[in-house]
Amino acid sequence: MTDSPAPGVLWIVATPIGNLGDLSTRAATVLAEADVIAAEDTRHTKRLLDHLGIHTRTLSLHEHNEEARAVPLIERLRGGASIALVSDAGTPLISDPGYRLVAAVREAGLTVQTVPGPSAVVAALSISGLPTDRFVFEGFLPAKPGARRKRLAELVSEPRTLVCYESSHRITRCVADLGAVFGQRPVTLARELTKRYEQSVTCPAAELAEWLNADANRVRGEFVLVIGGASENTDATGNGPSLDQLLAALVPELGTKKAAKLAARLTDTPKKQAYAKAVSLSAGHAAPDNG
Ligand code: SAM
């Protein structure tokens, strides 16, 4: 009886987001030595492999065949094959296929290893000048205007820096929505990162549309939007004092009910929410009871 071969490894390999010089030597080695490369678009990946002089066989793995592909790929891993997964650009699984495969491979008790490298989310965040200690990656916002605005409204109180991807088809409308929701809060728009026409700008959300529309070239290419998180010191649009600040000033003067009514109006907050906050704040104040 022969021993079965040691199980192989699924390698998650990051590739450049524009500049081919960003492919690591380790990534090139893993791609060259893999038995097969699972690629989002095999023709796209072949161009990268040709550039590198790599002849490893490729097979397609995209959103629509990922689940079906997982079973035979797991069999191959069990048989000792080394399989690399790449997407068209950047890190696989980051707004790209691969999640189902990785989950299935891990579920099967097999090994997944990383060859880290470029990803537009981290690249944009690192040059944004906005806080990087905590951030939320939202991927692509919903394509439909109503759903997009709803999502942005849900995010308006998020204190961590927000990062979103956007395509050239929707950048103009998306930036208009950002302006309406985030007002004076800072936004960095980064486009064409690592490419010839790389550009980034930081300004209040409400001014970004003007910057974008000032030059027809600015709406071309690939975009990342980095949005400063909600501050405790201003309202959600960055324009005025926050609900907490207003209540802290008004409750001792007016009492909970009047203060809540006024602060709700000024910060566009539901009255009930402002009142609950005022009551909790007033616990710490000797406020007049204007019941
Ligand atoms: N997996 C990729 C990564 O790790 O960044 C993201 C793939 S997602 C399908 C493509 C989106 O990523 C683009 O629409 C854009 O929002 C962003 N993106 C990718 N490359 C970029 C670049 N060079 N500059 C700016 N944004 C980029």
Side-chain angles (χ1 to χ4, degrees), residues 14-19 40 87-97 117-122 124 137 139-140 164-168 190-195 221-225:
T15 59
I17 56 170
N19 189 321
E40 187 182 5
S87 60
D88 286 353
T91 302
L93 284 84
I94 305 302
S95 294
D96 268 341
S119 189
V121 46
V122 172
F137 177 53
F140 288 98
C164 310
Y165 282 168
E166 197 47 278
S167 71
S168 55
R191 61 178 281 270
E192 296 292 86
L193 291 166
T194 76
K195 301 186 203 175
E222 301 190 281
F223 299 85
V224 184
L225 294 156

Side-chain angles (χ1 to χ4, degrees), residues 9-13 26 106 111-115:
V9 171
L10 174 66
W11 297 93
I12 306 303
V13 182
R26 184 162 169 257
R106 292 185 76 92
T111 308
V112 185
Q113 280 185 232
T114 178
V115 182

Side-chain angles (χ1 to χ4, degrees), residues 240-252:
S242 65
L243 177 68
D244 282 19
Q245 282 181 318
L246 276 174
L247 287 173
L250 296 177
V251 165

Side-chain angles (χ1 to χ4, degrees), residues 246-256 259-260 277-279 281-282 285-288:
L246 276 174
L247 287 173
L250 296 177
V251 165
E253 303 296 327
L254 304 174
T256 49
K277 198 86 197 203
V279 169
L281 270 175
S282 72
H285 290 294

